[in-house]
Amino acid sequence: MDPRYPIIEVLPEWTPQPEDMGSKEKFWFAWPEENESYWLFKYPRVGRGEHWAEKIAAEVAGLLEVSFARVELAVFRGDRGSATETIASNYLELVHGNEVLENAFPPYDSNDRNFHLSDHTLENIWLALDGAFENAADAIEAKRHLASYLVLDAVIGNTDRHSENWGILRNLDASRRLESLAPSYDHGSSLGRELMDRRRDLYISENRVGEYVERGRGQIHWFGDDRRGPSPLELVRQATPIFPDLFIPTITKLEAVDESSWREIVWAVPEDWMTPAARLFAFDMMCYSIRQLKEIM
């Protein structure tokens, strides 16, 4: 059995459709082998590794039993990218977090995509989820799922959990009922995918990968007057002692996964899709973050 991830060849006749949201070029297609389900093909930026970061992140989520949108490596007309399965359906639509927050806090500006949008705090997200669901049990379950996404972000160094990168699935029938937190999606800003190899080599040779992890800045703030959000790892450090019932279940799952499993996830990316330096740096990042998360226990 080939240990490398398979690569989808997306054909032009699979009805490409443009997608306007976001900064990178992408399109929807219907994959015949998956019962015509819709998938989003995304091109990585030149010299960046968003495609392999998306795939590795999805596999990490699977190991941690975190709900996530399926991701495959893909090629369209010779260009490499990633393909992510839609999390919506004929029965459910995605309500992005900015809309959830706007409903809970009318002053919240859902059109403001500023990286330092300080109202996007963990406290406000919890309050918005409390108000979004009809009963407390559903709200608690949603918060537990979101906490698992934040632990995933800490493991992979995902710095892009802004208010459009989480959401709730809403029923499309007459009830318009909010059903559950949507699976985690859009993890391309992870694992040092933006670094050049010479920079990765320097971090590795100087044993400073942990410094890179700690200096990352996420898009969920701790205090509303913070100029910048803490790193994904630091956010979990601060939140876990206050909300142990939400975060500990996923952190505990790290104990059941040995280092070889994390290595296999990274090394399953085909050799010519990821440089040796990118591969080693991504693995070292995860190992550092996992050690730090285990210390929280």
Side-chain angles (χ1 to χ4, degrees):
M1 181 178 178
D2 193 335
R4 296 170 298 181
Y5 298 126
I7 300 170
I8 303 169
E9 183 178 0
V10 180
L11 302 180
E13 56 264 33
W14 293 357
T15 61
Q17 300 178 27
E19 168 60 58
D20 296 327
M21 182 176 290
S23 59
K24 299 186 287 295
E25 188 178 356
K26 47 196 170 183
F27 62 83
W28 289 99
F29 67 92
W31 190 2
E33 293 185 14
E34 290 289 326
N35 300 316
E36 299 291 334
S37 63
Y38 276 93
W39 292 65
L40 184 64
F41 182 94
K42 295 197 289 188
Y43 297 90
R45 286 172 289 182
V46 176
R48 305 293 176 90
E50 285 99 344
H51 47 354
W52 52 254
E54 288 272 18
K55 179 58 178 173
I56 292 172
E59 297 297 319
V60 171
L63 270 187
L64 295 179
E65 300 178 15
V66 172
S67 178
F68 66 98
R70 292 170 59 197
V71 176
E72 301 291 349
L73 299 176
V75 173
F76 179 68
R77 291 178 171 166
D79 290 325
R80 296 174 175 178
S82 62
T84 304
E85 187 177 25
T86 181
I87 56 178
S89 69
N90 293 331
Y91 309 101
L92 296 170
E93 67 178 349
L94 175 64
V95 180
H96 289 98
N98 58 345
E99 185 177 339
V100 178
L101 286 159
E102 186 177 37
N103 290 336
F105 309 102
Y108 188 94
D109 184 358
S110 63
N111 294 312
D112 187 346
R113 299 181 183 179
N114 189 318
F115 184 87
H116 305 302
L117 188 57
S118 59
D119 284 339
H120 192 226
T121 64
L122 190 61
E123 180 182 12
N124 284 348
I125 293 170
W126 285 169
L127 291 172
L129 291 175
D130 283 335
F133 291 94
E134 294 179 1
N135 61 70
D138 288 341
I140 292 171
E141 185 67 12
K143 287 189 278 189
R144 186 176 294 114
H145 277 294
L146 186 57
S148 74
Y149 303 169
L150 301 184
V151 174
L152 169 65
D153 290 345
V155 172
I156 62 176
N158 176 31
T159 58
D160 202 31
R161 187 68 67 179
H162 57 73
S163 61
E164 289 183 1
N165 274 352
W166 63 271
I168 299 176
L169 294 177
R170 179 167 59 196
N171 203 305
L172 285 170
D173 65 14
S175 73
R176 306 293 286 172
R177 183 179 185 274
L178 294 174
E179 295 290 335
S180 62
L181 197 75
S184 188
Y185 57 89
D186 202 353
H187 309 109
S189 297
S190 306
L191 300 166
R193 57 89 178 95
E194 83 287 356
L195 295 173
M196 301 298 291
D197 276 354
R198 62 178 179 274
R199 191 67 176 169
R200 293 186 179 105
D201 288 337
L202 189 62
Y203 276 121
I204 294 169
S205 65
E206 295 181 351
N207 195 28
R208 292 169 51 223
V209 174
E211 176 185 316
Y212 171 86
V213 172
E214 300 287 359
R215 289 174 59 188
R217 289 293 176 263
Q219 298 203 37
I220 296 178
H221 290 238
W222 189 249
F223 296 110
D225 57 356
D226 286 344
R227 188 175 66 87
R228 305 172 72 181
S231 72
L233 178 59
E234 182 60 23
L235 180 67
V236 175
R237 279 201 194 105
Q238 293 182 33
T240 301
I242 303 172
F243 309 103
D245 292 346
L246 302 179
F247 286 88
I248 291 296
T250 305
I251 296 175
T252 300
K253 290 173 183 173
L254 293 169
E255 298 287 354
V257 183
D258 58 36
E259 187 175 291
S260 64
S261 297
W262 305 115
R263 179 179 291 274
E264 288 171 7
I265 283 177
V266 177
W267 264 259
V269 176
E271 186 173 346
D272 60 340
W273 281 60
M274 193 176 185
T275 67
R279 204 178 300 273
L280 184 57
F281 187 85
F283 177 68
D284 283 357
M285 268 191 74
M286 289 199 298
C287 288
Y288 174 84
S289 297
I290 290 166
R291 288 195 301 271
Q292 295 299 309
L293 289 167
K294 287 180 178 179
E295 288 185 6
I296 296 174
M297 301 290 291

